[in-house]
């Protein structure tokens, strides 16, 4: 199916573990984004990418790592998960000012 | 830096009443502006967007928003609320440049009373 797919949909992990959230888009959009959604803060940009092999920090990048070796994939890695990273994570892609969001990954760090 | 402020974290309206959600932006030049809706346990859905054509923008589900440069505002309205309008609403902006970062406000939760 065409669209933007995030996996897993739900994830529980322990403090200190590494976890990777996946994002895949089928349109070959140039731009991809990772946001976290927290009550009272709305959506805050973690990292974004303008093209394959080009990434840049957003508003809240600490504790996260991204890569983009292929245009269609933009994984987000929490190198050593902390409880403060418990959140809902949304991936998005964009081309010419139109944005499409994935369904989100609900991550709980215990 | 550009930013978005949504006035009121919660709005409660009666079914059939006017829905008004307030959004103000801060930007040196008028940005592109968006309103998104998020229903419980779902992703974000675009309601409407302003890209410098008409200042009154009509969106889906009967919503519309008016861009007012003098007030740096982009308030969202719907004449008659429906129970299905209960959701979280986000105002967002992106610069008029090659920078496509989308910045969001904190969101407004809308509840609709029967």
């Amino acid at each position: 199916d065409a669209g933007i797919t995030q996996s897993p949909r739900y994830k529980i992990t322990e403090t200190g573990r590494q976890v990777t959230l996946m994002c895949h888009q089928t349109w070959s959009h140039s731009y991809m984004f990772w946001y976290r959604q927290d009550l009272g803060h709305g959506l805050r940009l973690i990292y974004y990418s303008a093209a394959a092999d080009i990434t840049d920090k957003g508003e809240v990048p600490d504790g996260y790592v991204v890569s983009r070796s292929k245009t269609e994939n933009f994984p987000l890695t929490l190198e050593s998960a902390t409880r403060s990273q418990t959140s809902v994570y949304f991936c998005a892609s964009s081309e010419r000012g139109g944005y499409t969001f994935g369904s989100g990954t609900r991550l709980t760090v215990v | 830096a550009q930013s978005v402020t949504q006035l009121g974290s919660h709005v409660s309206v009666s079914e059939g009443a006017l829905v008004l959600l307030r959004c103000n932006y801060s930007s040196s030049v008028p940005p592109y502006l968006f309103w998104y809706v998020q229903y419980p346990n779902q992703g974000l859905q675009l309601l409407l967007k302003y890209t410098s054509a008409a200042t009154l923008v009509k969106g889906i589900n009967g919503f519309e928003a008016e861009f007012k440069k003098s007030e740096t505002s982009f308030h969202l309205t719907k004449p008659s609320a429906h129970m299905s309008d209960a959701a979280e609403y986000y105002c967002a902006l992106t610069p008029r440049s090659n920078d496509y970062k989308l910045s969001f406000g904190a969101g407004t939760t809308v509840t609709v009373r029967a």
Side-chain angles (χ1 to χ4, degrees), chain B:
Chain B
Q2 298 172 308
S3 64
V4 174
T5 302
Q6 291 184 240
L7 303 175
S9 58
H10 290 88
V11 170
S12 179
V13 298
S14 297
E15 192 173 21
L18 171 72
V19 179
L20 171 61
L21 304 183
R22 301 178 187 274
C23 172
N24 287 90
Y25 68 89
S26 173
S27 176
S28 56
V29 295
Y32 294 146
L33 292 157
F34 305 77
W35 276 100
Y36 285 89
V37 61
Q38 185 183 30
Y39 299 104
N41 298 314
Q42 294 188 26
L44 278 77
Q45 180 181 3
L46 180 67
L47 279 176
L48 49 83
K49 64 180 178 180
Y50 167 75
T51 57
S52 80
T55 56
L56 183 62
V57 182
K58 294 188 182 298
I60 62 171
N61 301 340
F63 284 94
E64 64 180 35
E66 186 172 9
F67 173 75
K68 292 187 176 181
K69 182 179 178 180
S70 61
E71 298 177 9
T72 61
S73 68
F74 191 56
H75 301 333
L76 181 72
T77 60
K78 181 173 180 178
S80 177
H82 190 274
M83 298 299 289
S84 61
D85 294 326
E88 187 80 11
Y89 292 79
Y90 291 98
C91 184
L93 67 77
T94 188
R96 289 172 176 263
S97 66
N98 291 326
D99 181 351
Y100 289 97
K101 289 181 291 185
L102 191 61
S103 299
F104 287 85
T108 298
T109 303
V110 172
T111 57
V112 182
R113 305 186 303 272

Side-chain angles (χ1 to χ4, degrees), chain A residues 71-86:
Chain A
T71 299
E72 60 266 30
N73 296 323
F74 191 40
L76 176 74
T77 298
L78 288 67
E79 293 188 299
S80 178
T82 65
R83 291 198 177 94
S84 65
Q85 293 177 309
T86 292

